[in-house]
Amino acid sequence: MKYLVTGGAGYIGAVVAAMLLEDGHDVVVIDDCRTSDPDNVPAGATHVAADVHDVGQVLTPDFDAVLHFAGLIAAGESMQYPQQYWHANTSATFALLAAMRDASVGNLVFSSTAAVYGNPETLPLQESARTAPTSTYGATKLASDHAIASYCSAYGLGATSLRYFNVVGAYRGADGTWHGERHAPETHLVPLALSAAAGEREALHLYGEDYDTEDGTCVRDYIHVADLARAHLLALNAQRPGAHLVYNLGNGRGFSNRQVLDTVAAVTGRPVPVVPAERRPGDPAVLVAHSAAAHAALGWRPQRPQLSDMVKDAWEFYRQ
């Protein structure tokens, strides 16, 4: 099979591309590497250094499916620079959908997010929960989901949106190469905490200690990147023409920011220096997934649900 992976130089896209290659597929990556490193593209994949808006120059009828990861991902930043997020996330998805229709490529797996739900009314979050994003980032992803649903209904596209919670860890491919998290700039808690523990960052800014949670910090559902990536491969085999399927992917339990920092300290054997900071706009207090639908429909379950295992792999990648 031949697959196009948008954003395949990024954290999750690179892991999925590596797994597809290991399964014997032909993989083409389109990524302009503005926020990632071209060295992240797995060996064996064809890399096209281009913006997703130009995907029509790459996508041809011989592709079997597209896995769409490209986009901007920082909720706090999205509130400061909304135009960039609407362009990179929603406008790019519009361009991709048009190119897929022109090339008669009928299968899509979309990297969506739990940020579409905003502040949840009930926990854990099910796919039927009200969508009310509290950040521009979440809004751009929800708009993309709506556009995908429209294309499924009107043109017979088969698509699956996978709504991630928090992704951690690293993946060691069959060739021994590690694929892990390194954004430019980095905004995610675990790699920032590892950097602070290693002494390469003066301190980590802890955004908000007055949330209505047990220790006052945000609570999130964490999932190992290898578990998340495998869900994409399973989703490729569960598409239905004309149907837009939506699944939440998480462990079903939450860890507070303080618990994450404690785990990083335990794994590295080093303290994580912290500077308290104000809440970031758009950050919900608690996000925890209900993933029973993915369990039933995709046959998917996390294989490495322990936070310590996720952090250990992230630390191994960091040390590489």
Side-chain angles (χ1 to χ4, degrees), residues 114-134:
V116 301
Y117 296 114
N119 286 304
E121 297 173 339
T122 59
L123 289 170
L125 272 163
Q126 299 188 48
E127 292 82 357
S128 59
R130 180 176 65 97
T131 51
T134 56

Side-chain angles (χ1 to χ4, degrees), residues 4-318:
L4 179 67
V5 180
T6 75
Y11 176 32
I12 302 166
V15 175
V16 171
M19 288 184 172
L20 289 169
L21 289 164
E22 289 166 10
D23 284 350
H25 300 296
D26 185 4
V27 177
V28 178
V29 166
I30 180 170
D31 197 317
D32 59 13
C33 295
R34 282 181 295 175
T35 59
S36 57
D37 191 322
D39 290 342
N40 292 346
V41 177
T46 301
H47 180 203
V48 179
D51 188 284
V52 177
H53 287 85
D54 299 319
V55 69
Q57 301 174 24
V58 179
L59 199 60
T60 51
D62 60 326
F63 281 90
D64 294 287
V66 177
L67 298 102
H68 181 32
F69 300 93
L72 299 176
I73 59 173
E77 181 188 64
S78 76
M79 304 299 285
Q80 297 176 289
Y81 308 106
Q83 180 178 351
Q84 295 180 19
Y85 276 71
W86 285 107
H87 179 76
N89 293 356
T90 311
S91 175
T93 300
F94 292 166
L96 174 62
L97 289 169
M100 290 182 67
R101 187 186 177 210
D102 290 344
S104 299
V105 177
N107 292 287
L108 172 67
V109 177
F110 176 54
S111 169
S112 191
T113 172
V116 301
Y117 296 114
N119 286 304
E121 297 173 339
T122 59
L123 289 170
L125 272 163
Q126 299 188 48
E127 292 82 357
S128 59
R130 180 176 65 97
T131 51
T134 56
S135 68
T136 300
Y137 166 64
T140 62
K141 288 289 194 173
L142 181 59
S144 296
D145 271 340
H146 287 320
I148 292 167
S150 294
Y151 268 68
C152 290
S153 176
Y155 307 124
L157 175 69
T160 303
S161 290
L162 299 176
R163 290 178 175 168
Y164 310 164
F165 284 64
N166 282 40
V167 189
V168 187
Y171 173 69
R172 188 176 186 180
D175 62 356
T177 301
W178 280 93
H179 301 279
E181 189 169 13
R182 50 176 181 172
H183 303 108
E186 186 57 72
T187 60
H188 288 171
L189 180 60
V190 169
L192 290 174
L194 292 173
S195 178
E200 296 188 358
R201 179 179 302 274
E202 185 174 342
L204 179 139
H205 287 82
L206 185 57
Y207 294 103
E209 295 182 290
D210 59 347
Y211 286 94
D212 186 18
T213 60
E214 188 171 338
D215 62 19
T217 63
C218 288
V219 172
R220 295 291 183 268
D221 188 328
Y222 287 85
I223 183 172
H224 196 290
V225 66
D227 286 331
L228 184 77
R230 290 189 185 94
H232 293 74
L233 275 62
L234 293 169
L236 284 170
N237 298 320
Q239 307 272 48
R240 299 202 307 267
H244 178 220
L245 309 175
V246 178
Y247 301 112
N248 292 340
L249 298 180
N251 281 319
R253 59 180 298 196
F255 299 92
S256 74
N257 286 349
R258 281 288 183 190
Q259 289 176 306
V260 172
L261 298 182
D262 289 345
T263 303
V264 169
V267 167
T268 63
R270 308 175 187 188
V272 180
V274 170
V275 174
E278 296 295 321
R279 294 185 185 190
R280 294 182 303 186
D283 269 351
V286 181
L287 285 176
V288 178
H290 190 290
S291 299
H295 300 169
L298 303 180
W300 173 85
R301 287 185 182 274
Q303 301 300 305
R304 304 200 70 187
Q306 299 302 317
L307 181 62
S308 58
D309 289 337
M310 303 179 209
V311 173
K312 284 175 185 176
D313 284 351
W315 179 233
E316 183 64 29
F317 172 75
Y318 186 89

